[in-house]
Amino acid sequence: MTDQGIGASVKRKEDLRFITGKGQYVDDINRQGQSYAIFVRSPHAHANIKGIDAKAALAAPGVLAIFTGEDLAADKIGGLICGWMIHSKDGSPMKAGPHPALAQGKVRYVGDHVAVVIAETLDQAKDAAEKVAVDYDVLPAAVDPAKTQRSGQPQVHAEAPNNTVYQWHLGDKDAVDAAFAKAAHVTKLDIVNNRLVPNAMEPRAAIGEYDSGTDNLTLWTTSQNPHVARLVLSAFVGIAPEHKLRVIAPDVGGGFGSKIFIYAEETVCIWAARKINRPVKWTADRSEAFYSDAHGRDHVTTAELAVDKAGTILALRANTKANLGAYLSTFASSVPTYLYAPLLSGQYNIPAIYCEVDGVYTNTTPVDAYRGAGRPEATFVIERLVEVAARETGRDPAEFRRQNFITQFPHQTPVIMAYDTGDYAACLDKALAMADYKTFGQRKAASAAKGKLRGIGFSAYIEACGIAPSRAVGSLGAGVGLWESAEIRVNPVGTVEVLTGSHSHGQGHETTMAQIISSKLGVPIDSVSIVHGDTDKVQMGMGTYGSRSGAVGGSAIVKAAEKVIAKGKRVAAACMEVEEDQVDFEAGEFSARGTNKKMTFGEVALQAYVAHKFDPEKIEPGLKETSFYDPKNFTFPSGVHIAEVEIDMATGVTKVDRWTAVDDFGVLINPMIVEGQVHGGIAQGVGQALLEGARYDETGQLVTASFMDYGMPRAADVPSFNVAMTNTPCPSNPLGVKGCGEAGAIAAPAAMVNAITNALGHEGIAMPATPQAVWRAIQKMPRKAAE
Amino acid sequence: MYAFDYRRPHSLNEADLALKAHPGAKLLAGGQTLIPAMKLRLAEPGQVVDLGGIGDLKGITQKDGAIRIGAMTTHAAVAESTVVAAALPGLAALAAGIGDPHVRNRGTIGGSVANNDPGADYPAAVLALGATVHTSKRAIGADQFFNGLFSTVLEESEIITHIDFPVAERFAYAKFANPASRYALVGVAVAKSKSGVRVAVTGAGASGVYRLPQAETALAASFSAKAVDGLKIDASNLMSDIHAEADYRAHLIGVMLRRAVG
């Protein structure tokens, strides 16, 4: 343990380069002979392509090539894949239409890719793209996820009748029906979980390059998981075999899930680079990001909670229509199924749960994982139900939760998950104290005196992170294993390079992973380099999403470090001429028990490489170890967030006045970074609750296609957060960590809507609770509360 | 952005000549609307004449009971001006609430008024204060200047030189910002002077900035929030969009009016 190790709030090593403009993002990279790609995109939500006339565009200055879906098909380039097979309740596999990288005969959403124009300069490519004449036969569009399965709706894919990809379910329907039949009270809610546009600060970008001398391809791409991108592009799309394709994800400016997926643009860039034997670069502008980055959420749900006379929850039932958009994105099928329904038990002892999910196609941008991915939707369902059930049965919402908390661990829920550890009451008690819950009434009266409404809302969330045990997800339909790799290369002078299959795009891995090494090997963090994001350097990895990098990637580093120590002990024993089991390692020092012999970590590293003092028959030279770590279980971060809002009755403006967050992330590697993750997550959750919401008109045009109409949360929209932690260490990984990257975004929407509805005195408001929506809800307030 | 020809004259005369030589040229007066529109290829001017090099168009002075603001004076300069703060603090506050620091340090009053964006703040101040817009050709009264969404009586080759704002006894502007763009969803400017009360509304009108005569009459009789409490605002001439239907805008006009009166 050093003062820079696990638990220390050291400053982020990567920030110097980011805040001084020295980051190297994909768009900062320029290759010799580079050309520029512009995509011709569909202006229609649904249309047949009768013809594409590119003659005038091909003749435009600087144009090198124009390709369409026919060219990809002629080269036998496959479509984009969805990597998680979901089976419907009748046992049939999900019904997915093809997802070509460039449209073949039909476009299915505004922004769909029709052709690519490649030119010497970006402006020439743009000019020529305007000259590509596409003859569309415009069709009616299916837009509303609640209506798209009805007869007479336009069909997005012939392969999926009634626009239904799957009708999936989880849980015991009969047990739930029986529980509802004997319930003293049933709370029922109709819930819309609004569609979100991710809006990472850095838009997506790609550069494809072909080396005709070696027949090697290199793709620079804004990816959260470059190895998965290489695997998909090689094994499924057919770009090149893995050993001929290098994928590099350099500095990446935020992902929030949207950069997990393998998109059309990078596929076309890397394919076209070989086709024209020139590097091909594409960088999205913000408008393209709105149209073509996979969106998040978009559920329409009816949910019910059965409660007995004593206030004990008996059962939960939910029916969800999940909008998957026009094509299945890389992990789209899993988000509203296995990342959603297994979390519906929340922190509560619920004997019976039954959830049905219809995954549906619409003529809209594909929908996939976005910060939280399924778990915010589940938390919103259970935490709204619990809050409203408490109100309807005249119970305090905090005490109603406490009464139903799970208190014995491990706990097997009726929906797959086995919670390993937690202390939900401890979080609640701490949050109630920090939020001054007892004096809320005084603050409410003070607000009322100013003509304002005040409300308080809870969200006691749970999430499943650290995805995931490979065998478990394999049995549920995942196409890949979800382990993580680490390689530790100790240099002869004792400095350390760590190669991780995780990818950092804002999380601060260069700091936190160095802290793990500092704790385990006793070296300062400045002696540690973290290498990630390059398939030529890191052999294989599964990437960063689902709050998995600490729990899975960090654990792999621990396992590799243990192997380094074991090898180091053998080298040290030989050098000190003692038995191997006599050697201890602590705080960067190898010592021989019962003697005064000692060697520093650096001295042992040097001896490992000079190899003068041991028998090569018994000990190999060098100090480099690898681990592939596959977790035993998911991790289960949990916490209690309490939002307090004040509403201006005259305008409907909701001010977030106070925010209390008490989270149990297990062991914290860097508490400062963890707090930052909580802050960012809450801001995104408040954004979903108050401001954000992608809206399509009935023809499938995205109405909120820029920041002029899509409201993003800003610093002034959130208060100074009151954040604290509890710690029940995760028993299933060697670090005891649970993951913290998504918690705020999972907890916040329910806390916000519970607070707003508490202020209003009725449940009639949906997200985003914009000033207009809140003002209209104020007009519907019960007379007494309004006065 | 399409290729365009760029001129940066150093006098009004040079600017006039450039405009005469290139009919259809666009004036660049800070570029907070024009440049983004060009970047999105929504605007395609062949020639751009940048007024930023003409020193005479910048500056703030007080003379004969009016504040004179040069057309190329930035929002930040108005917000920070001690002259404006002393004579028309409400105007300084309005300028300080436009956009963000980047916009305020590039955008100019002349550019804003000439563009007449229905969500812009300055047109409400020009109209409420009964300002006079001076151009390279004439002086135009506020009541004649604005004539619809993104439209004014300015001719093709006419350049705003400065705007004279009569100093009022009281002037205040209350804005309700669009939750996404932060432009005015509704902005109400109220000016009280010896000649009476003028009220202008921006952000809401289907034809852009407009006056609210019934509020002016009520406030002339009694300048208090109470005097306009319950005032019926006609929603039939207001914009409706995803952020605010006309009835909500009408309601907000009443709220912002009362807040501007204070």
Side-chain angles (χ1 to χ4, degrees), chain A residues 123 126-127 130 648 650-651 653 691 695 704 707-709 711-712 714 717 771-772 775-776, chain B residues 1-2 40-41 176 178-183 242-245 247-248 251-252 255-256 259:
Chain A
D123 278 326
K126 284 185 181 176
D127 290 345
E130 291 177 358
D648 180 349
T651 60
V653 169
L691 293 157
R695 285 178 57 172
T704 51
F707 293 135
M708 289 296 284
D709 288 307
M712 292 292 283
R714 305 183 190 197
D717 295 320
Q772 174 172 241
W775 178 73
R776 293 198 189 284
Chain B
M1 196 177 273
Y2 298 103
L40 289 167
R41 296 189 157 208
F176 188 87
N178 179 314
S181 70
R182 317 284 162 134
Y183 274 79
I242 60 167
H243 306 288
E245 301 291 324
D247 64 330
Y248 179 55
H251 168 77
L252 286 178
V255 177
M256 293 301 117
R259 288 184 184 176

Side-chain angles (χ1 to χ4, degrees), chain A residues 25-352:
Chain A
Y25 299 87
V26 172
D27 193 55
D28 292 318
I29 294 163
N30 293 294
R31 306 296 298 172
Q32 187 73 32
Q34 178 174 291
S35 64
Y36 295 83
I38 286 289
F39 287 84
V40 176
R41 293 177 185 275
S42 171
H44 306 294
H46 198 193
N48 286 317
I49 300 172
K50 286 157 65 184
I52 301 173
D53 181 356
K55 272 193 227 76
L58 271 168
V63 173
L64 297 166
I66 296 175
F67 298 116
T68 66
E70 283 181 22
D71 299 299
L72 283 168
D75 268 14
K76 298 193 165 44
I77 297 300
L80 304 173
I81 62 156
C82 179
W84 199 305
M85 170 53 72
I86 298 296
H87 286 85
S88 286
K89 48 191 155 192
D90 66 5
S92 63
M94 65 185 185
K95 299 178 176 71
H99 187 180
L102 294 174
Q104 286 169 358
K106 198 173 185 190
V107 287
R108 293 182 172 85
Y109 67 99
V110 174
D112 203 353
H113 317 73
V114 177
V116 63
V117 176
I118 302 168
E120 295 285 353
T121 72
L122 183 59
D123 278 326
Q124 286 172 336
K126 284 185 181 176
D127 290 345
E130 291 177 358
K131 294 185 165 67
V132 176
V134 186
D135 187 5
Y136 293 105
D137 173 21
V138 180
L139 303 169
V143 178
D144 184 345
K147 295 178 186 161
T148 187
Q149 293 171 290
R150 293 181 190 169
S151 66
Q153 281 280 303
Q155 294 297 291
V156 182
H157 290 274
E159 293 82 356
N162 301 316
N163 294 324
T164 303
V165 181
Y166 51 71
Q167 293 189 294
W168 176 87
H169 68 163
L170 184 67
D172 186 337
K173 182 176 188 299
D174 294 340
V176 167
D177 289 346
F180 270 87
K182 65 174 187 187
H185 180 82
V186 172
T187 290
K188 183 175 181 181
L189 289 174
D190 291 318
I191 290 168
V192 174
N193 205 294
N194 42 330
R195 174 187 276 247
L196 304 177
V197 181
N199 278 316
M201 194 179 288
E202 179 208 21
R204 290 190 295 116
I207 305 170
E209 183 173 84
Y210 176 62
D211 182 336
S212 59
T214 59
D215 196 35
N216 286 341
L217 288 155
T218 303
L219 172 67
W220 288 263
T221 181
T222 48
S223 175
Q224 300 178 212
N225 37 269
H227 294 86
V228 176
R230 183 178 67 163
L231 177 66
V232 170
L233 290 170
S234 294
F236 297 96
V237 182
I239 293 293
E242 279 176 287
H243 69 293
K244 304 303 278 180
L245 174 60
R246 178 184 185 184
V247 177
I248 301 172
D251 285 332
V252 173
F256 310 110
S258 71
K259 292 171 182 167
I260 298 171
F261 323 122
I262 291 79
Y263 287 91
E265 291 88 354
E266 57 261 30
T267 304
V268 170
C269 282
I270 189 68
W271 167 77
R274 174 152 55 192
K275 202 86 181 150
I276 68 167
N277 199 13
R278 293 270 301 269
V280 178
K281 182 181 203 170
W282 167 79
T283 302
D285 62 25
R286 186 57 66 183
S287 301
E288 288 183 287
F290 269 96
Y291 288 118
S292 68
D293 291 3
H295 293 177
R297 318 278 191 258
D298 209 349
H299 285 196
V300 180
T301 297
T302 300
E304 295 169 275
L305 194 71
V307 183
D308 76 6
K309 212 169 187 179
T312 301
I313 298 171
L314 300 175
L316 183 151
R317 182 153 60 199
N319 183 300
T320 294
K321 311 282 186 205
N323 191 352
L324 303 175
Y327 299 97
L328 294 191
S329 173
T330 315
F331 290 107
S333 55
S334 64
V335 176
T337 50
Y338 288 110
L339 299 184
Y340 166 67
L343 277 303
L344 283 172
S345 194
Q347 299 186 355
Y348 311 105
N349 197 349
I350 306 181

Side-chain angles (χ1 to χ4, degrees), chain B residues 204-208 210 212 214 232-240 244-251 253:
Chain B
S207 312
Y210 71 104
L212 214 52
Q214 75 269 41
K232 181 93 183 105
I233 307 292
D234 182 9
S236 66
N237 65 337
L238 301 184
M239 290 189 281
S240 275
E245 301 291 324
D247 64 330
Y248 179 55
R249 275 194 164 90
H251 168 77
I253 289 170

Side-chain angles (χ1 to χ4, degrees), chain B residues 33-234:
Chain B
T33 300
L34 180 62
I35 299 290
M38 288 170 68
K39 285 169 81 174
L40 289 167
R41 296 189 157 208
L42 297 172
E44 191 184 355
Q47 281 84 27
V48 170
V49 177
D50 184 357
L51 300 176
I54 306 174
D56 290 349
L57 296 182
K58 289 176 197 160
I60 300 166
T61 54
Q62 185 165 13
K63 206 172 98 182
D64 304 332
I67 300 288
R68 172 164 292 188
I69 302 179
M72 288 300 290
T73 308
T74 63
H75 311 324
V78 174
E80 289 157 14
S81 162
T82 53
V83 175
V84 178
L88 283 172
L91 188 62
L94 177 151
I98 299 173
D100 54 32
H102 304 75
V103 168
R104 290 195 290 275
N105 279 290
R106 295 297 304 173
T108 64
I109 190 168
S112 170
V113 168
N115 190 48
N116 193 20
D117 187 305
D121 301 305
Y122 267 132
V126 169
L127 195 56
L129 284 163
T132 302
V133 180
H134 295 268
T135 76
S136 50
K137 294 182 175 168
R138 55 186 165 151
I140 309 167
D143 287 314
Q144 285 75 49
F145 184 80
F146 303 105
N147 65 357
L149 303 177
F150 297 102
S151 179
T152 69
V153 299
L154 288 171
E155 291 163 13
E156 270 294 282
S157 57
E158 195 168 10
I159 300 171
I160 299 177
T161 54
H162 56 273
I163 300 170
D164 285 343
F165 290 94
V167 174
E169 283 171 34
R170 297 182 69 168
F171 171 75
Y173 175 68
K175 168 159 79 170
F176 188 87
N178 179 314
S181 70
R182 317 284 162 134
Y183 274 79
L185 197 72
V186 164
V188 178
V190 178
K192 179 173 185 283
S193 62
K194 286 194 186 74
S195 55
V197 176
R198 290 169 64 101
V199 176
V201 178
T202 188
S207 312
V209 65
Y210 71 104
R211 283 174 66 183
L212 214 52
Q214 75 269 41
E216 294 176 356
T217 310
L219 290 170
S222 165
F223 195 84
S224 68
K226 208 171 174 187
V228 286
D229 201 7
L231 191 77
K232 181 93 183 105
I233 307 292
D234 182 9

